[in-house]
Amino acid sequence: APRLHLVDLDGAKAGHPLNHEMVRAIVRAVRIPCQFGGGLREEPVVQTMLDDVGVERVIVGTRALRDPDWFARMVQKYPRRVCLGLDARDSLVATAGWLEVSQMPALELARRFQGLEVGAVIYTNIANDGMMQGVDEGTLRDLAALSELGLPVIASGGVTTLADVERLCAVHQQSPRLVGAIV
């Protein structure tokens, strides 16, 4: 794998990372870059994860929805190192470790950050994540629409079989900004 994706689900629910020492140990133990999400809602925490813990990129979801200007400032301060985490149910952004679903369409939130050096948009259909049911047609449409914004997009949630990866590769052929998948 070109990158290891790490998520602190406890931290996402608490509103700040709780397992950063474990993340630090993982970063030191592997030889590939790591990206990290879960509870990143304050600039000092973002800076600590990037500069002290040593992750290559951080993923911000909840704060990006609640304070898009703050998120844009983080992207400007750390170009290509801050990713937009779009966790969605029925194409609407979910936050706080999936405990809340907003009325904000994921595509509309991503559109706010067009033209910025976002590391990636990581789109997770939370209805599919961990269910071993594959990537559905609605998620494929959402991924294609997000990639049309010109931002790099990574598929997450439901990527279960080789057939799912092949379907994502087919979308990539039409939407080359779909650059990866979390498996």
Side-chain angles (χ1 to χ4, degrees):
R3 181 175 291 115
L4 184 61
H5 178 77
L6 304 168
V7 179
D8 183 346
L9 293 176
D10 299 324
K13 292 174 185 171
H16 55 86
L18 296 174
N19 297 298
H20 58 281
E21 289 306 322
M22 180 59 66
V23 172
R24 183 190 317 273
I26 292 169
V27 168
R28 288 180 179 161
V30 300
R31 295 181 184 198
I32 57 173
C34 297
Q35 63 187 26
F36 171 81
L40 299 170
R41 299 184 192 149
E42 300 296 332
E43 182 175 351
V45 178
V46 168
Q47 183 176 7
T48 296
M49 295 307 294
L50 291 170
D51 296 340
D52 181 39
V53 174
V55 297
E56 176 195 44
R57 303 191 311 194
V58 294
I59 304 155
V60 178
T62 298
R63 183 86 189 256
L65 172 67
R66 294 183 180 160
D67 191 349
D69 292 335
W70 176 87
F71 180 79
R73 285 193 306 275
M74 291 301 95
V75 170
Q76 291 166 343
K77 186 168 184 173
Y78 304 102
R80 294 175 301 283
R81 297 189 74 198
V82 177
C83 300
L84 175 61
L86 286 181
D87 299 337
R89 181 181 301 281
D90 299 323
S91 302
L92 298 175
V93 178
T95 61
W98 305 353
L99 299 175
E100 303 168 18
V101 177
S102 72
Q103 294 303 303
M104 171 69 73
L107 186 61
E108 186 178 324
L109 182 59
R111 190 173 284 122
R112 292 183 180 189
F113 307 115
Q114 276 183 284
L116 296 179
E117 294 184 82
V118 174
V121 175
I122 299 169
Y123 183 79
T124 305
N125 179 341
I126 65 173
N128 292 349
D129 194 48
M131 304 307 291
M132 305 299 285
Q133 296 176 354
V135 180
D136 63 43
E137 291 301 318
T139 299
L140 293 173
R141 282 191 301 276
D142 287 348
L143 291 166
L146 285 165
S147 69
E148 290 172 15
L149 298 177
L151 299 166
V153 178
I154 297 174
S156 174
V159 183
T160 306
T161 66
L162 180 58
D164 292 321
V165 175
E166 289 168 342
R167 291 172 73 205
L168 291 168
C169 286
V171 172
H172 168 76
Q173 295 302 313
Q174 300 301 312
S175 305
R177 298 298 290 170
L178 177 59
V179 296
I182 294 171
V183 180

